């Protein structure tokens, strides 16, 4: 994604340089700054549109990563609940049909206990999600700031080249554009790099934490299952 952006921006600079030559050839037929302004406007428009696409792709990746983590938390919790639901149901039926067994637990307490323990298993994933929400939002804003800078370039550089009385003025405007574009290009590349680092690191951390959460919830399922099967045995003996 990043190299694609860089490629296109580099191409824009080359295109711009070509247009400069054309402009000098046709100089006599035009005013000093008209065509330059048009070229700069068009190039800035193309650059903004390319960068917008890149930003949208970045936002899509951020959204997918976020949905991935949310999905993992939901699936983990739902799976553990599903694994326990049979033994919880059986035990509850047994207790209800045998008034003599006097269980040391209630269904509500047990559900609360399971929910709390599973919540503990996915706690790290939850805080990873929060951190990612903030960091990725900031990274995206950084990238968008560079797009804004490109959009403002024609106006900014036109001010420098706006004097029709000064034949060098329009050259000043285009130098301004080329220099500013190169700088924005660099900043944009860095901000995209920063954003992809956040994505990669979050993916890796999420993978590790999903593994931990799976082990943790398997232990909860085992522990609660064992406890309930013991309760069933005691109930049958009473
Ligand atoms: C990403 O998610 C946010 C919030 O859910 C949404 O507003 C935005 O449109 C999504 N962006 C893309 C590119 O899918
Ligand atoms: C409820 O959770 C605690 C840990 O938070 C555990 O020690 C306890 O055994 C659980 N209760 C049941 C009925 O399993
Ligand atoms: C990229 O990240 C580094 C380190 O966090 C930071 O110093 C730099 O300002 C960031 N660059 C951009 C363009 O966001």
């Amino acid at each position: 994604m990043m190299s694609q952006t860089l490629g296109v921006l580099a191409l824009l600079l080359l295109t711009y340089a070509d247009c400069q030559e054309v402009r000098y050839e046709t100089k006599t037929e035009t005013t000093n700054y008209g065509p330059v302004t048009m070229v700069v406007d068009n190039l800035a428009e193309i650059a903004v549109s390319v960068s917008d696409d890149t930003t949208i792709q970045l936002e899509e990746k951020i959204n997918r990563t976020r949905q991935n983590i949310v999905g993992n938390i939901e699936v983990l919790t739902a799976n553990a609940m599903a694994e326990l639901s049979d033994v919880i149901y059986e035990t509850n039926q047994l207790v209800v049909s045998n008034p003599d067994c006097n269980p040391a637990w209630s269904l509500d307490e047990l559900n609360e206990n399971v929910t709390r323990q599973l919540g503990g298993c996915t706690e790290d994933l939850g805080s990873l999600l929060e951190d990612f929400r903030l960091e990725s939002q900031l990274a995206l804003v950084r990238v968008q700031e560079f797009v804004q800078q490109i959009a403002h370039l024609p106006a900014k550089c036109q001010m420098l080249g706006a004097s029709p009385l000064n034949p060098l003025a329009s050259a000043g405007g285009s130098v301004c554009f080329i220099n500013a574009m190169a700088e924005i290009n660099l900043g944009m590349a860095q901000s995209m790099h920063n954003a992809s680092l956040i994505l990669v690191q979050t993916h890796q951390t999420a993978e590790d934490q999903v593994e931990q959460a799976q082990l943790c919830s398997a232990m909860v399922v085992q522990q609660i299952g064992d406890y309930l099967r013991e309760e069933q045995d005691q109930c049958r003996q009473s």
Side-chain angles (χ1 to χ4, degrees), residues 181-238:
M181 241 354 234
E183 200 175 310
I184 292 173
N185 208 353
L186 194 65
M188 183 127 177
Q190 276 169 357
S191 62
M192 289 300 290
H193 176 71
N194 283 3
S196 37
L197 276 187
I198 293 172
L199 281 168
V200 168
Q201 280 163 2
T202 302
H203 269 293
Q204 276 168 358
T205 311
E207 259 176 41
D208 293 346
Q209 288 183 351
V210 164
E211 212 172 294
Q212 291 300 314
Q214 269 163 351
L215 291 174
C216 174
S217 74
M219 260 165 54
V220 173
V221 168
Q222 184 71 48
Q223 177 227 318
I224 298 286
D226 286 350
Y227 175 81
L228 289 176
R229 280 181 286 270
E230 265 171 42
E231 289 285 306
Q232 287 182 15
D233 285 348
Q234 277 180 22
C235 190
R236 287 196 190 93
Q237 284 160 21
S238 64

Side-chain angles (χ1 to χ4, degrees), residues 24-188:
Y24 286 125
E25 283 162 16
T26 60
K27 198 172 178 180
T28 47
E29 304 161 12
T30 56
T31 66
N32 261 338
Y33 57 98
V36 173
T37 309
M38 266 176 55
V39 169
V40 165
D41 274 351
N42 286 341
L43 288 181
E45 207 173 295
I46 295 168
V48 165
S49 140
V50 169
S51 308
D52 268 349
D53 287 350
T54 310
T55 311
I56 288 171
Q57 283 175 25
L58 176 63
E59 198 181 358
E60 279 168 359
K61 281 190 184 176
I62 290 173
N63 282 4
R64 267 203 303 278
T65 301
R66 210 170 50 210
Q67 284 155 8
N68 230 337
I69 300 175
V70 172
N72 272 317
I73 294 177
E74 284 171 357
V75 166
L76 262 160
T77 309
N79 280 350
M81 288 294 198
E83 279 180 65
L84 279 175
S85 69
D86 280 357
V87 65
I88 292 178
Y89 178 77
E90 273 171 25
T91 317
N92 198 48
Q93 288 296 97
L94 192 66
V95 168
V96 166
S97 55
N98 288 284
D100 286 344
C101 14
N102 194 5
W105 54 278
S106 75
L107 189 60
D108 281 350
E109 274 171 29
L110 190 81
N111 276 332
E112 202 251 38
N113 192 315
V114 172
T115 308
R116 181 169 40 78
Q117 291 204 74
L118 290 178
C121 290
T122 55
E123 203 180 345
D124 285 350
L125 275 172
S127 53
L128 176 70
L129 186 64
E130 267 317 297
D131 289 349
F132 178 69
R133 221 188 274 278
L134 293 174
E135 282 177 18
S136 63
Q137 191 55 37
L138 284 178
L140 190 63
V141 166
R142 280 298 275 147
V143 175
Q144 281 164 341
E145 278 169 4
F146 287 108
V147 181
Q148 283 304 307
Q149 284 181 26
I150 303 175
H152 292 144
L153 263 195
K156 189 182 154 204
C157 290
Q158 211 173 313
M159 286 192 318
L160 286 176
S163 164
L165 296 177
N166 179 359
L168 289 176
S170 64
S174 47
V175 166
C176 162
F177 183 78
I178 288 181
N179 286 346
M181 241 354 234
E183 200 175 310
I184 292 173
N185 208 353
L186 194 65
M188 183 127 177

